[in-house]
Amino acid sequence: MTGPEPPENGADGVLDISTPEQFAALAHPLRQRLLFALTHEAATISQLAVRLGVAKGSVAHHLKTLHAAGLVRITQTRKVRGGTEQYYRRTARRLRIAEPRAADRAALLNAVAQEVERSPDDHLLSLRHLRLSPERARRLRETLAELVDEAEEDGADQPVHGVLVVMYEQERERP
């Protein structure tokens, strides 16, 4: 089931992660995978359980945590065989962690590694170290962010591809 794009939390559809509840919610790899799965379309607990190969109870528990932290929302409900089925979706197109802690980075990279492991096609994983002036590093960082943010998407019937861009300055060697 596809629905409208997530609401614009900021001018650019970004939700800034800042509360302890949000950081705690992002600390679990399954919650990261749930957020990935809810990027482009709303889904029910049952649909997510099948898609991710996880028990429905586990999905329900982790969605409750994401919902309480404001990272997902219920977009639709409908009656099904005496019960109510809820469709969940991310609250923002992109989540931004201004000052990530080591545990936050590790959880995100672990979740991405799990997604890459399940990828049915070849993937690109490349690491390159460059010597750049602060100005050239800033320009490259801005260009990479623009490239990802402005990428045009094809129709809803096309596969979803994950894109992770990380740029960091290496720790300087000590004499």
Side-chain angles (χ1 to χ4, degrees):
M1 153 164 230
T2 57
E5 284 299 306
E8 299 293 312
N9 286 66
D12 54 1
V14 175
L15 175 62
D16 286 315
I17 304 302
S18 59
T19 69
E21 295 80 16
Q22 290 171 325
F23 282 112
L26 290 173
H28 196 283
L30 179 55
R31 293 186 203 129
Q32 299 258 348
R33 292 182 59 216
L34 287 165
L35 286 171
F36 295 159
L38 294 170
T39 299
H40 290 90
E41 61 186 9
T44 65
I45 290 170
S46 296
Q47 291 168 336
L48 289 165
V50 169
R51 189 178 311 161
L52 299 178
V54 178
K56 287 194 314 186
S58 185
V59 170
H61 167 75
H62 290 293
L63 276 176
K64 181 178 179 181
T65 301
L66 290 169
H67 188 261
L71 301 175
V72 299
R73 63 188 173 94
I74 298 169
T75 60
Q76 178 185 356
T77 59
R78 68 181 191 145
K79 297 289 184 192
V80 180
R81 288 177 245 127
T84 302
E85 191 172 61
Q86 298 176 322
Y87 286 84
Y88 291 85
R89 185 164 186 135
R90 284 173 61 144
T91 57
R93 182 177 52 86
R94 187 165 53 117
L95 305 175
R96 177 174 50 208
I97 302 172
E99 297 179 24
R101 300 168 299 183
D104 302 327
R105 287 188 296 270
L108 176 60
L109 293 172
N110 184 39
V112 170
Q114 290 179 29
E115 291 293 308
V116 170
E117 182 68 26
R118 290 174 176 81
S119 176
D121 293 323
D122 289 336
H123 55 272
L124 169 67
L125 179 60
S126 177
L127 175 62
R128 182 173 176 202
H129 293 95
L130 304 169
R131 294 185 181 275
L132 300 172
S133 69
E135 173 60 22
R136 292 218 28 219
R138 181 192 61 75
R139 286 195 328 253
L140 178 57
R141 200 170 25 258
E142 289 172 357
T143 300
L144 291 169
E146 272 182 41
L147 182 64
V148 172
D149 287 345
E150 295 175 4
E152 294 288 325
E153 293 197 47
D154 293 329
D157 60 332
Q158 298 303 311
V160 175
H161 294 266
V163 178
L164 171 68
V165 177
V166 177
M167 185 172 167
Y168 59 94
E169 183 176 344
Q170 270 192 317
E171 182 179 32
R172 296 177 189 231
E173 295 179 12
R174 298 180 185 174

